[in-house]
Amino acid sequence: QVQLVESGGGLVQAGGSLRLSCAASGRTFSRNAMGWFRQAPGKEREFAAAISRNGAFTYYADSVKGRFTISRDNAKNTVYLQMNSLTPEDTAVYYCAADGGTNYGSPPRDKNEYIYWGQGTQVTVST
């Protein structure tokens, strides 16, 4: 069982930056691929970024590539999402997710492959 708690969301002006953190409980964090997803009002939850269990592989949605950076610290059981050059289109609830520990290489981008989810943290980007 993995429990995830996100933090770091808030209100920021367009062009600004935020760093989201996701703290995981449990002893298996280093075995889990991790992902960040987001859900804007009235829209489906969409993939933003993912990182493999050892951090060697990362993937980004085209909409955030070059602006967002996902990273992890397995010693701290924490995954991060550094978000730069934010735009109002980035406004959403951001969710951290962990897979079931079965992806040994590339992390999944399909939300259906993630088993554990956090409660989400709101990110609002104003004009």
Side-chain angles (χ1 to χ4, degrees), residues 37-40 44-46 63-64 68 89-90 92-94:
F37 291 79
R38 64 186 186 180
Q39 188 166 16
E44 290 192 2
R45 192 170 300 188
E46 65 175 13
S63 58
V64 308
F68 290 12
E89 288 68 38
D90 295 314
V93 177
Y94 283 71

Side-chain angles (χ1 to χ4, degrees), residues 69-124:
T69 302
I70 188 171
S71 61
R72 66 190 296 162
D73 185 338
N74 286 347
K76 295 183 178 179
N77 279 17
T78 303
V79 63
Y80 305 97
L81 186 67
Q82 177 66 44
M83 305 186 295
N84 298 328
S85 302
L86 287 162
T87 73
E89 288 68 38
D90 295 314
T91 294
V93 177
Y94 283 71
Y95 297 91
C96 171
D99 77 347
T102 57
N103 291 287
Y104 293 90
S106 301
R109 282 158 281 188
D110 183 346
K111 59 180 179 290
N112 295 313
E113 296 197 47
Y114 288 87
I115 296 174
Y116 307 104
W117 291 85
Q119 294 296 318
T121 185
Q122 176 70 47
V123 171
T124 303

